Amino acid sequence: MTTADRVPAGLDVTKPNIARVYDAFLGGKDNFAVDRQVVEFAVQVTPDAPAGARANRAFLRRVVRYLTAEAGLRQFIDIGSGLPTQGNVHEVAQEIAPDTRVVYVDNDPLVRAHAQALLATGPGTVFVTADLREPETILASPAVREAIDLGQPAGLLLFAILHHINDDEDPAKIVARLRDALAPGSYLAISSFRMPGPEHPEDAAKTAAMEKLFNEKLGTGRWRSTDEIQAWFGDWELLQPGLVPMPEWRPDEATVGAVRRDATYYGFVGGVARKP
């Protein structure tokens, strides 16, 4: 099959795409040469960059398992869900609690095409085409309202998406609006690029080069300070161990001993908070 044969109508494969680049970092097949080129450049700057993508997926799985099995959540909103891959939110959650409902939200047409095919046979799963920059549209969506009871605790998942929201688009205001819509007992999980501090000067230099690369090739990608990211949780109770490099968040046996502490390790963090 040629590239032309598998390009959905309306997609521009002459420019890299965030979801496809992330898929390429994970070693997936739903990407094109222009996307893989970004990965190749990234690896030249930070050889462990693909490990960051894998760590993010592993973090997602651990978070969803915790929120389903221990926190007892039965409904999730995954915004900026990206291309379906192994260990999606509904797969992890419904293995524990089959009645769990999951709404995936993304604005990418390729993600929509793949997600609709994947979710067509999955009960309790819905895909909504919307943009994180328009939280009111997401919250008012009939599909979201039908699947998610906002009067009951829910899990809001913002994995690897807020670093693609520019400063002038006010990510703090966007997250605050979504937090405000959720019931007490809800949880917010975030993973985001972080600029390493002065205690890791070499990693900070590599990360700054990576930020420059992302903005040149993708037109997006913002590595923020720990304080900026932590502020997105508002006054919610940040669970232990706090906002940390993702492999440090309640690691399982597969995580322990399999992690290298290099630029991507310190430059990609995650945390989970509970609404009191």
Side-chain angles (χ1 to χ4, degrees):
M1 179 180 291
T2 67
T3 298
D5 292 329
R6 62 186 183 95
V7 177
L11 287 190
D12 182 358
V13 298
T14 65
K15 298 178 181 177
N17 165 279
I18 294 170
R20 299 194 314 254
V21 168
Y22 186 53
D23 180 72
F25 270 118
L26 288 170
K29 64 182 187 306
D30 297 311
N31 53 79
F32 301 95
V34 68
D35 308 304
R36 294 188 289 275
Q37 186 178 49
V38 174
V39 175
E40 291 168 4
F41 281 123
V43 169
Q44 290 175 19
V45 176
T46 308
D48 70 305
R54 294 193 297 270
N56 185 63
R57 291 303 298 183
F59 173 60
L60 177 149
R61 290 191 290 269
R62 295 198 307 279
V63 168
V64 173
R65 279 197 297 268
Y66 170 81
L67 294 180
T68 307
E70 299 188 43
L73 293 188
R74 296 296 180 265
Q75 49 181 7
F76 292 89
I77 307 173
D78 182 7
I79 303 179
S81 53
L83 285 162
T85 186
Q86 191 172 27
N88 296 292
V89 173
H90 73 283
E91 293 169 332
V92 176
Q94 290 175 0
E95 183 177 355
I96 299 167
D99 59 336
T100 301
R101 302 180 305 282
V102 178
V103 173
Y104 294 101
V105 181
D106 206 292
N107 67 346
D108 189 291
L110 182 62
V111 172
R112 181 178 67 243
H114 281 267
Q116 288 175 338
L118 173 69
L119 303 179
T121 57
T125 54
V126 176
F127 181 83
V128 173
T129 302
D131 195 309
L132 174 59
R133 297 171 183 84
E134 300 177 355
E136 297 293 348
T137 300
I138 296 172
L139 295 169
S141 165
V144 172
R145 290 285 180 170
E146 183 176 348
I148 304 296
D149 181 356
L150 293 177
Q152 296 297 319
L156 173 60
L157 311 178
L158 298 173
F159 290 102
I161 181 64
L162 288 166
H163 49 235
H164 293 301
I165 303 297
N166 295 326
D167 290 348
D168 60 2
E169 293 168 324
D170 203 347
K173 182 178 180 180
I174 292 170
V175 180
R177 177 64 188 96
L178 293 168
R179 288 198 318 265
D180 290 346
L182 298 179
S186 293
Y187 288 80
L188 168 62
I190 292 173
S191 67
S192 189
F193 293 158
R194 176 187 67 175
M195 184 61 69
E199 66 275 16
H200 301 288
E202 292 185 7
D203 295 329
K206 290 181 181 179
T207 301
M210 183 71 77
E211 184 175 52
K212 183 174 184 291
L213 170 69
F214 263 59
N215 281 276
E216 288 175 350
K217 300 296 182 180
L218 282 173
T220 180
R222 182 80 166 76
W223 275 252
R224 295 183 166 94
S225 70
T226 299
D227 288 345
E228 285 178 287
I229 298 169
Q230 192 155 317
W232 293 336
F233 293 101
D235 61 356
W236 290 27
E237 175 191 358
L238 196 62
L239 305 189
Q240 291 297 326
L243 183 67
V244 294
M246 292 177 295
E248 294 182 16
W249 197 90
R250 307 190 180 197
D252 52 22
E253 292 183 5
T255 304
V256 175
V259 177
R260 293 173 52 194
R261 287 170 171 75
D262 36 33
T264 297
Y265 181 90
Y266 294 110
F268 205 170
V269 296
V272 180
R274 181 182 184 275
K275 185 171 186 175

